[in-house]
Amino acid sequence: MGAPPKERTFWRQGLSLRYLDWGTEGRPSLVCLHGVTQTAHSWDDVAPDLAEKHHLFALDARGHGDSQWPPDGDYSRQAQARDVADFIERVARPPALVAGLSMGGLTALTLAALRPQLVKALIVVDIAPQVEGEGVAAIAAFVRETHEPLEFDEFVRRAMAFNPRRSEANIRDRLSHNLKPVGGGKWIWKYDPRLTGFANVGRDLDQLWGDIKKIRCPTLVVRGQESPVVSRQAAERLAEALGARISSVPGAGHSVMGDNPSGFLAAVSPFLDSLR
């Protein structure tokens, strides 16, 4: 599996943003962005393999994990894209490969449209400007139902019920990075509570179709074959708009990389190899 990542801090306009550095200087930079209410550790199952050929960086987005919460509560895709643009310019070396799941995919698309010179290629994972309301509502319900302090084992139980594709060991590991103790044997999520209703993370999705028209870099669209969030038709529409390749990962729902790590790697490796 290789050495564990180094934990580092990146400062942007007074905001401390944490990131994991899996890598070797001189290899192509690959910047990985997680989904809403998650952390950089969402990429742990695939990062060691991807880091064999890349200098991989996984960021905790503002308000998530061990990154600070913005005072103004701005979690728009534009604000997050500006964070990533500065990170690539100052840390990861442009142009970088950018991979994003869900919210991270929205950030990646926005970045490639606004700052194309920073992005060599995109991997957009299980997100599109058109999402399935029922699937998003199920995620929002899980977030609301686990918003109050709970015992760690209760978080594990609820997370396993929500996503039975994962092993208990995998869920325990992920939650160990996404929860913090509050005393009395109870734990709470690390992310900013203003994200509970997804705040402004997914606003103006319709406008994203217009932004996509500006993207010219090679792109791969990856969808979990069992995703409740992105339909096959929406993924195909996105791929067509981008002139992109598309790949479907069997045995995976929305959290593709963790649901089927080997399937995800099989989907993205040929694309990454084609960029050399």
Side-chain angles (χ1 to χ4, degrees), residues 7-243:
E7 296 193 20
R8 303 188 188 280
T9 300
F10 167 72
W11 288 86
R12 181 176 184 272
Q13 296 184 343
L15 202 64
S16 172
L17 303 176
R18 197 280 297 261
Y19 67 95
L20 304 178
D21 184 337
W22 302 77
T24 303
E25 291 289 340
R27 292 178 181 170
S29 295
L30 173 57
V31 177
C32 296
L33 312 174
H34 62 77
V36 66
T37 71
Q38 299 302 305
T39 75
H41 287 282
S42 297
W43 294 89
D44 281 4
D45 291 308
V46 296
D49 289 276
L50 294 173
E52 289 181 1
K53 297 180 180 179
H54 300 86
H55 189 162
L56 188 146
F57 305 91
L59 279 66
D60 276 349
R62 54 172 53 207
H64 294 74
D66 294 319
S67 289
Q68 288 184 333
W69 304 353
D72 61 2
D74 186 358
Y75 294 106
S76 65
R77 59 187 178 89
Q78 293 85 356
Q80 296 195 57
R82 289 192 290 270
D83 291 343
V84 179
D86 276 10
F87 180 82
I88 291 174
E89 287 187 313
R90 293 163 49 192
V91 178
R93 306 183 317 274
L97 311 174
V98 182
L101 165 70
S102 194
M103 177 189 76
L106 298 178
T107 301
L109 288 166
T110 303
L111 172 66
L114 298 179
R115 301 289 301 278
Q117 71 277 18
L118 300 181
V119 182
K120 179 179 179 179
L122 285 176
I123 299 176
V124 181
V125 186
D126 215 70
I127 197 61
Q130 175 186 338
V131 295
E132 298 297 299
E134 187 174 341
V136 173
I139 295 173
F142 172 74
V143 169
R144 287 195 304 271
E145 291 165 5
T146 56
H147 185 58
E148 299 300 323
L150 298 168
E151 293 183 353
F152 192 90
D153 284 347
E154 179 62 14
F155 272 107
V156 172
R157 186 188 70 79
R158 296 192 188 193
M160 290 185 68
F162 180 70
N163 188 358
R165 298 178 185 86
R166 305 292 188 95
S167 69
E168 180 177 343
N170 180 273
I171 285 178
R172 285 185 176 276
D173 181 69
R174 294 297 169 271
L175 289 176
S176 72
H177 299 295
N178 209 353
L179 297 172
K180 59 186 177 183
V182 290
K186 300 294 181 67
W187 298 68
I188 60 171
W189 297 109
K190 287 181 177 180
Y191 61 75
D192 186 343
R194 289 174 291 188
L195 287 157
T196 303
F198 297 165
N200 53 11
V201 167
R203 72 182 185 189
D204 71 7
L205 280 187
D206 286 343
Q207 295 180 26
L208 187 54
W209 286 118
D211 290 343
I212 285 169
K213 295 178 181 177
K214 305 172 187 175
I215 297 175
R216 297 290 182 270
C217 65
T219 301
L220 175 68
V221 174
V222 178
R223 175 180 176 266
Q225 201 169 83
E226 301 169 8
S227 174
V229 174
V230 179
S231 69
R232 179 177 57 82
Q233 293 81 1
E236 289 174 348
R237 181 185 173 190
L238 175 62
E240 182 178 2
L242 289 165

